[in-house]
Amino acid sequence: GAGVSQTPSNKVTEKGKYVELRCDPISGHTALYWYRQSLGQGPEFLIYFQGTGAADDSGLPNDRFFAVRPEGSVSTLKIQRTERGDSAVYLCASSPVSSRGSPPITQYFGPGTRLTVL
Amino acid sequence: EDQVTQSPEALRLQEGESSSLNCSYTVSGLRGLFWYRQDPGKGPEFLFTLYSAGEEKEKERLKATLTKKESFLHITAPKPEDSATYLCAVQGAGNMLTFGGGTRLMVKP
């Protein structure tokens, strides 16, 4: 079946502009995650959705970052007043339902969106 | 705070030269340790999940093992197509993954 898809694959913007990054999870996956990966580093957690609600947004670096998942499927990561330090690859992952204390469930990643802030 | 450290940062092998990658971790209540492969310009691709110390899993030329403090990814007789970055991640009490910095593996023919 289809995997996680992300659009656009590349986004170049100017400092101070607003951007939206989109993630389509695997069909039927209720959990959706956003991570950010800087060059030469491992991915870093940003936010996690279970259904429509943000279950954990502790990784968002500041209030310029916001994410939504209004219908429990597609998610959009929104970044206001972009800064050069926001340049990175933004990865989305999805998994079947996963709750605290339960055995871990594999997260499947999309190809990422490469964001460049000039 | 969960922490993951991978070593070495980079590894160059000749085709057929077996070796191991290390992943050291500290986590409150390990629910699972994951290995992913990442090719340039692509997202991480799932390889293995390990749940408890002593567990081992194999896939083709790769074998992952787990102790209470670290995990190893053993690569037996690697081929050039095994060249990639290998990422280790842990899942603790929360649902997010905490990743290490990765090991960049290059296998020369």
Side-chain angles (χ1 to χ4, degrees):
Chain A
V4 178
S5 62
Q6 293 187 245
T7 54
S9 55
N10 282 283
K11 176 70 178 179
V12 180
T13 191
E14 294 179 344
K15 181 174 177 295
K17 298 289 188 182
Y18 168 83
V19 296
E20 289 188 353
L21 312 179
R22 176 188 169 106
C23 172
D24 274 278
I26 293 171
S27 179
H29 281 190
T30 58
L32 184 147
Y33 312 78
W34 284 99
Y35 294 82
R36 178 168 71 173
Q37 186 173 27
S38 299
L39 192 63
Q41 313 262 333
E44 293 181 315
F45 169 75
L46 295 176
I47 186 170
Y48 153 60
F49 288 89
Q50 185 69 278
T52 59
D56 186 340
D57 64 358
S58 61
L60 294 177
N62 51 59
D63 61 5
R64 295 187 298 105
F65 289 74
F66 189 72
V68 295
R69 194 185 185 200
E71 298 179 354
S73 179
V74 170
S75 176
T76 304
L77 179 65
K78 308 180 180 192
I79 310 175
Q80 298 177 323
R81 304 183 303 280
T82 52
E83 300 178 355
R84 293 193 180 89
D86 298 335
S87 296
V89 174
Y90 289 81
L91 294 165
C92 177
S94 72
S95 74
V97 60
S98 176
S99 56
R100 278 181 173 267
S102 69
I105 295 178
T106 301
Q107 297 180 20
Y108 296 92
F109 284 81
T113 294
R114 180 174 299 278
L115 175 67
T116 303
V117 182
L118 301 176
Chain B
E1 181 179 335
D2 301 344
Q3 289 190 323
V4 179
T5 302
Q6 292 188 246
S7 62
E9 290 185 4
L11 181 62
R12 296 167 69 99
L13 298 174
Q14 287 296 129
E15 183 172 3
E17 180 187 1
S18 301
S19 188
S20 296
L21 313 183
N22 177 264
C23 170
S24 298
Y25 65 90
T26 56
V27 61
S28 299
L30 179 71
R31 289 169 61 199
L33 184 140
F34 297 81
W35 283 97
Y36 286 85
R37 170 190 171 128
Q38 187 173 30
D39 292 295
K42 298 192 176 181
E45 175 188 349
F46 170 73
L47 293 173
F48 303 109
T49 307
L50 300 166
Y51 297 93
S52 58
E55 188 176 5
E56 297 183 354
K57 288 195 176 171
E58 289 189 61
K59 179 180 179 180
E60 296 181 354
R61 295 177 292 282
L62 300 177
K63 183 169 82 171
T65 62
L66 181 66
T67 73
K68 289 186 178 180
K69 294 184 178 180
E70 57 192 349
S71 176
F72 291 93
L73 185 65
H74 307 278
I75 304 177
T76 301
K79 298 182 177 181
E81 53 262 42
D82 295 323
S83 297
T85 294
Y86 290 86
L87 295 166
C88 171
V90 296
Q91 186 177 53
N95 284 322
M96 77 286 286
L97 297 178
T98 300
F99 282 86
T103 294
R104 295 184 301 283
L105 174 66
M106 182 178 296
V107 182
K108 293 286 196 179

